[in-house]
Amino acid sequence: MSTHRYLKSGAHPYPHIGEFLRAKLRELHVSTPEAARRLGVSTSSVHAYYKQPSLQFGIIWKLSMALNYDLLSDLIARYPEKFPVKTDPKIAELEKEVEILRGLLRR
């Protein structure tokens, strides 16, 4: 049993980051050796990441940069359904425009 509080189950369990990473690499068609090469670490290090329920932010950041893929947005998408997520004002403005245009099309 872990002594780390963040690993204890609670009301909002977070995704297992290692499993998330393995699935994301598979989805992106990036092999473990290729991910290791891009990160400058050993293949065994990447395999160790797969087993970790949590990874340091710096590792997730480096993986995003190495893969040229926004892993953080994918993790944010896993927040609970009604979780308040900061939105880009431009996106909110575009969503308003879309609603206006839909209203015009319904006429």
Side-chain angles (χ1 to χ4, degrees), residues 41-56:
V41 300
S42 68
T43 301
S44 61
S45 291
V46 176
H47 280 291
Y49 296 161
Y50 295 157
K51 297 175 186 174
Q52 299 301 315
S54 179
L55 288 173
Q56 292 179 356

Side-chain angles (χ1 to χ4, degrees), residues 12 75-88:
H12 302 289
L75 287 169
I76 288 170
R78 293 176 176 233
Y79 278 150
E81 187 176 325
K82 301 219 181 219
F83 192 82
V85 177
K86 183 177 178 182
T87 58
D88 184 334

Side-chain angles (χ1 to χ4, degrees), residues 28-44:
L28 296 172
H29 305 289
V30 176
S31 68
T32 299
E34 176 61 15
R37 185 190 66 73
R38 292 185 193 184
L39 282 169
V41 300
S42 68
T43 301
S44 61

